[in-house]
Amino acid sequence: MNFNKFELDHIGIAVETLEQGFAFYKALGFGEMEIEEVPSQKVKTGFLRLGNQATLELLEPTSPDSTLRKFLDKRGPGIHHICLRVQGLDRILADLKAKGVRLIDEQAKMGAHGCRVAFIHPASTGGVLIELSEKTEELV
Ligand code: ZN
């Protein structure tokens, strides 16, 4: 059996606004965020780089019908998802589907930084929203 290789890509944190969410990290000593809007997810992201390649991703909803808006209304700001970087995302999604894992995205979508991403439903993961991310060729 071939095991997949995983790396922690980022931890997604839901915030009402990037500025509000960033205030604590600024106090802690982080520099500026790298801000990028992701229309496919109806969010604006603010990335905070960590020393070990991983990032913290602050997430602000850009639309009242964003799923992130619903998350904030129900649970308030806080940890939203964990993103694992993978290789062979399409194969992994097909494999999970075959194993009966509930996928939010059966097909990968474009995420921030030109990555292809797909979310796995927390009902199948023990309550954690998991994002899988694969770098696209142009950025390697
Ligand atoms: Zn993410």
Side-chain angles (χ1 to χ4, degrees), residues 83-134:
C83 178
L84 301 175
R85 191 180 311 153
V86 301
Q87 289 173 359
L89 179 56
D90 295 326
R91 172 181 52 77
I92 291 170
L93 289 175
D95 184 46
L96 288 175
K97 196 181 172 195
K99 288 172 176 165
V101 171
R102 189 164 155 200
L103 304 175
I104 293 172
D105 303 305
E106 293 193 1
Q107 304 292 334
K109 294 179 181 173
M110 287 310 295
H113 297 155
C115 290
R116 299 173 69 240
V117 304
F119 284 89
I120 306 171
H121 200 284
S124 285
T125 66
V128 181
L129 178 59
I130 300 276
E131 177 182 17
L132 300 178
S133 171
E134 179 174 58

Side-chain angles (χ1 to χ4, degrees), residues 24-78:
F24 162 73
Y25 296 97
K26 192 172 180 179
L28 187 58
F30 275 84
E32 286 307 301
M33 292 178 283
E34 292 168 37
I35 295 175
E36 183 177 342
E37 194 163 336
V38 184
S40 68
Q41 311 279 359
K42 296 178 181 168
V43 297
K44 200 157 73 174
T45 61
F47 281 94
L48 303 173
R49 296 211 166 274
L50 305 178
N52 59 355
Q53 306 267 326
T55 54
L56 301 179
E57 177 189 46
L58 304 184
L59 294 157
E60 173 189 322
T62 54
S63 162
D65 65 347
S66 163
T67 53
L68 184 68
R69 179 69 264 157
K70 288 166 199 141
F71 176 93
L72 280 163
D73 290 344
K74 203 166 144 193
R75 321 242 314 243

